[in-house]
């Protein structure tokens, strides 16, 4: 009796392990035939066929017929749960794309570098080609895409979907970004500022879950923030709410891209940080600064600490004005951890109205560099009228 039970348990464990191997192969290749699955996993065709039938019955995979090498074959893909959602993040130096099902399970994602001061036409062309390639790799069609959303590193006018302030994202001024990408792909597209979508991502899926109000700080090549009030993004009339990078911190400082003098971005944007190290460290990038700081370089650590202090003062003043439940810090500079976060926390503690509250916490973003992608997927779901189970 014991022997039979042990044998049954072993068979069950083996079947489960084989299922995991097959699912891993499907995730790796996006779409793959059962014959190819047999070669990729080393399992017999009969075992693959049986497990695929079980996964199909459970709604984990989908199958459809295709032609490979002139022969009819069964193509296996992950189940997409009522269609695809696509999120894009156009950064200062990179383009990132994520595709998920309607349950926000990532099916595929990709990143590609962008040149400095990239223009909208070439960038959106690249985005459209990359999306088509990824969707095709999943064994799907663009018609299965419910909606897309794109995050850009500039304030977006909610009424027009275009960059709200000239100069901040050169070559993108006045462009109806959603309409342009929508025409290329034939699907509905929403557009928002990347800090706003970072805030949305953290509220629904990350460090802000369950919070009614929060301030999300995105410290990267520039500094921005997203404001959530009553679980809704607060964008302002022109979409410039939360643009703390353009807060005045030095009346006699340098001219910012926005045209004003002495903005926070001129003090702790990426260019300001690397320029401050040019005499002692030569030519470095923001990534270099963070890597060197992590390795213990005192000069680079000081630059990160100073940036945290400057940003912290503005964040503390912003928090006084609307009293959020939590402050969440993301973006590349958040990679530095406590080195960057502690000066922000100290600035918040020093503000008398905030110091009297024991509840306001400064947290690191849980989603890291994927916060904006998660926010874009959430915005796409809103556009498609899909309820987020995480919200």
């Amino acid at each position: 009796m014991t022997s039979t039970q042990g044998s049954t348990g072993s068979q069950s464990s083996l079947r489960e392990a084989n299922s995991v191997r097959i699912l891993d192969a499907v995730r790796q290749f996006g779409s793959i035939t059962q014959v190819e699955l047999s070669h990729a996993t080393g399992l017999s065709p009969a075992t693959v066929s049986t497990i695929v039938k079980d996964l199909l019955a459970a709604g984990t995979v989908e199958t459809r017929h295709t032609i490979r090498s002139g022969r009819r074959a069964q193509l296996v893909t992950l189940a997409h749960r009522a269609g695809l959602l696509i999120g894009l993040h156009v950064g200062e130096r990179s383009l990132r794309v994520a595709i998920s099902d309607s349950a926000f399970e990532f099916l595929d994602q990709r990143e590609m570098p962008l040149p400095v001061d990239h223009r909208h036409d070439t960038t959106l062309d690249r985005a459209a080609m990359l999306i088509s390639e990824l969707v095709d790799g999943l064994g799907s069609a663009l018609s299965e895409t419910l909606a897309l959303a794109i995050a850009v590193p500039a304030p977006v006018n909610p009424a027009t979907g275009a960059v709200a302030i000239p100069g901040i994202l050169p070559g993108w001024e006045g462009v109806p970004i959603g309409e342009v990408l929508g025409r290329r792909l034939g699907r509905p597209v929403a557009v928002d500022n990347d800090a706003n979508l970072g805030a949305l991502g953290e509220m629904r899926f990350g460090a802000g879950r369950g919070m009614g109000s929060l301030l999300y700080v995105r410290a990267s090549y520039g500094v921005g923030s997203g404001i959530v009030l009553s679980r809704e993004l607060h964008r302002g009339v022109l979409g410039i709410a939360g643009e703390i990078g353009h807060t005045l911190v030095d009346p006699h400082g340098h001219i910012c891209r926005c045209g004003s003098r002495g903005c926070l971005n001129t003090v702790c944007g990426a260019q300001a940080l690397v320029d401050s190290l040019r005499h002692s460290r030569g030519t470095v990038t923001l990534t270099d600064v963070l890597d060197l700081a992590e390795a213990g370089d005192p000069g680079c650590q000081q630059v990160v600490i100073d940036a945290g202090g400057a940003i912290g003062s503005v964040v503390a003043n912003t928090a006084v004005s609307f009293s959020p439940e939590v402050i969440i810090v993301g973006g590349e500079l958040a990679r530095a951890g406590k080195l960057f976060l502690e000066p922000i926390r100290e600035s918040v503690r020093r503000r008398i109205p905030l110091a009297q509250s024991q509840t306001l916490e400064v947290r690191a973003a849980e989603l890291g560099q994927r916060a904006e992608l998660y926010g874009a997927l959430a915005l796409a779901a809103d556009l498609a009228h899909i309820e987020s189970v995480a919200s």
Side-chain angles (χ1 to χ4, degrees):
M1 185 72 174
T2 305
S3 175
T4 302
Q5 288 177 336
S7 175
T8 302
S10 299
Q11 290 175 358
S12 176
S13 298
L14 179 61
R15 194 182 190 91
E16 184 175 338
N18 288 340
S19 296
V20 170
R21 289 168 68 181
I22 287 175
L23 281 174
D24 285 344
V26 174
R27 288 191 183 97
Q28 179 183 353
F29 294 101
S31 59
I32 184 171
T33 67
Q34 292 192 180
V35 172
E36 291 166 340
L37 271 174
S38 180
H39 291 305
T41 61
L43 299 173
S44 70
T47 298
V48 169
S49 178
T50 299
I51 291 176
V52 166
K53 286 178 183 177
D54 291 342
L55 293 173
L56 183 62
T60 307
V61 301
E62 295 173 348
T63 61
R64 62 184 175 87
H65 293 296
T66 188
I67 302 297
R68 289 287 169 90
S69 302
R71 295 183 178 182
R72 190 176 175 87
Q74 187 93 324
L75 193 67
V76 183
T77 63
L78 292 176
H80 296 155
R81 300 192 195 178
L84 303 175
L85 297 168
I86 299 177
L88 302 90
H89 181 204
V90 176
E92 296 277 356
R93 305 290 174 84
S94 66
L95 168 68
R96 293 184 294 149
V97 179
I99 301 182
S100 80
D101 59 22
S102 57
F104 303 98
E105 181 75 26
F106 275 41
L107 302 175
D108 204 351
Q109 58 182 315
R110 193 76 57 83
E111 181 175 359
M112 66 166 53
L114 292 174
V116 177
D117 290 337
H118 51 86
R119 298 185 60 83
H120 79 276
D121 47 3
T122 53
T123 299
L124 293 180
D125 279 343
R126 288 183 180 186
M129 288 189 290
L130 184 56
I131 288 168
S132 297
E133 178 185 321
L134 292 178
V135 170
D136 185 63
L138 291 171
S140 302
L142 280 172
S143 59
E144 295 179 55
T145 300
L146 302 172
L148 304 87
I150 179 169
V152 296
V156 174
N157 189 323
T160 65
V163 173
I165 303 176
I168 294 182
L169 197 57
W172 291 68
E173 294 91 344
V175 177
I177 301 167
E179 291 182 21
V180 172
L181 190 59
R183 283 197 299 270
R184 281 169 165 77
L185 297 172
R187 310 308 300 159
V189 181
V191 188
D192 209 335
N193 168 257
D194 56 4
N196 283 346
L197 293 187
L200 185 63
E202 289 291 338
M203 179 186 71
R204 294 195 181 174
F205 307 102
R209 282 191 302 270
M211 300 291 180
S213 65
L214 62 86
L215 176 65
Y216 173 78
V217 180
R218 185 171 195 277
S220 182
Y221 288 90
V223 184
S225 72
I227 297 171
V228 172
L229 297 171
S230 301
R231 296 191 61 76
E232 296 288 340
L233 281 172
H234 174 65
R235 298 179 174 90
V237 176
L238 295 177
I240 61 174
E243 285 294 321
I244 62 173
H246 300 287
T247 300
L248 174 65
V249 295
D250 182 2
H252 306 292
H254 297 294
I255 299 296
C256 178
R257 271 190 168 187
C258 73
S260 295
R261 183 182 295 278
C263 291
L264 179 63
N265 280 338
T266 67
V267 174
C268 58
Q271 193 60 51
L273 300 186
V274 299
D275 284 349
S276 69
L277 290 163
R278 197 174 303 280
H279 178 71
S280 60
R281 301 295 184 273
T283 301
V284 292
T285 65
L286 180 59
T287 300
D288 293 333
V289 173
L290 294 172
D291 289 343
L292 288 167
E294 185 178 6
D297 182 285
C300 292
Q301 287 186 339
Q302 189 61 55
V303 163
V304 171
I305 291 169
D306 291 345
I311 293 170
S313 295
V314 173
V315 167
N317 287 329
T318 305
V320 167
S321 68
F322 82 97
S323 187
E325 293 176 63
V326 67
I327 297 170
I328 300 171
V329 182
E332 275 85 352
L333 283 174
R335 268 184 50 201
K338 289 185 178 181
L339 194 69
F340 179 63
L341 289 174
E342 279 306 317
I344 298 177
R345 291 181 176 129
E346 181 58 30
S347 295
V348 170
R349 284 193 292 263
R350 284 200 306 265
R351 293 298 296 167
I352 299 301
L354 298 179
Q356 294 173 346
S357 169
Q358 302 301 312
T359 60
L360 181 57
E361 182 185 355
V362 178
R363 300 179 183 174
E366 284 185 13
L367 303 177
Q369 298 301 302
R370 298 206 297 178
E372 291 73 27
L373 286 175
Y374 268 109
L377 292 170
L379 186 63
D382 291 347
L383 183 62
H385 305 293
I386 295 173
E387 184 176 353
S388 168
V389 293
S391 64

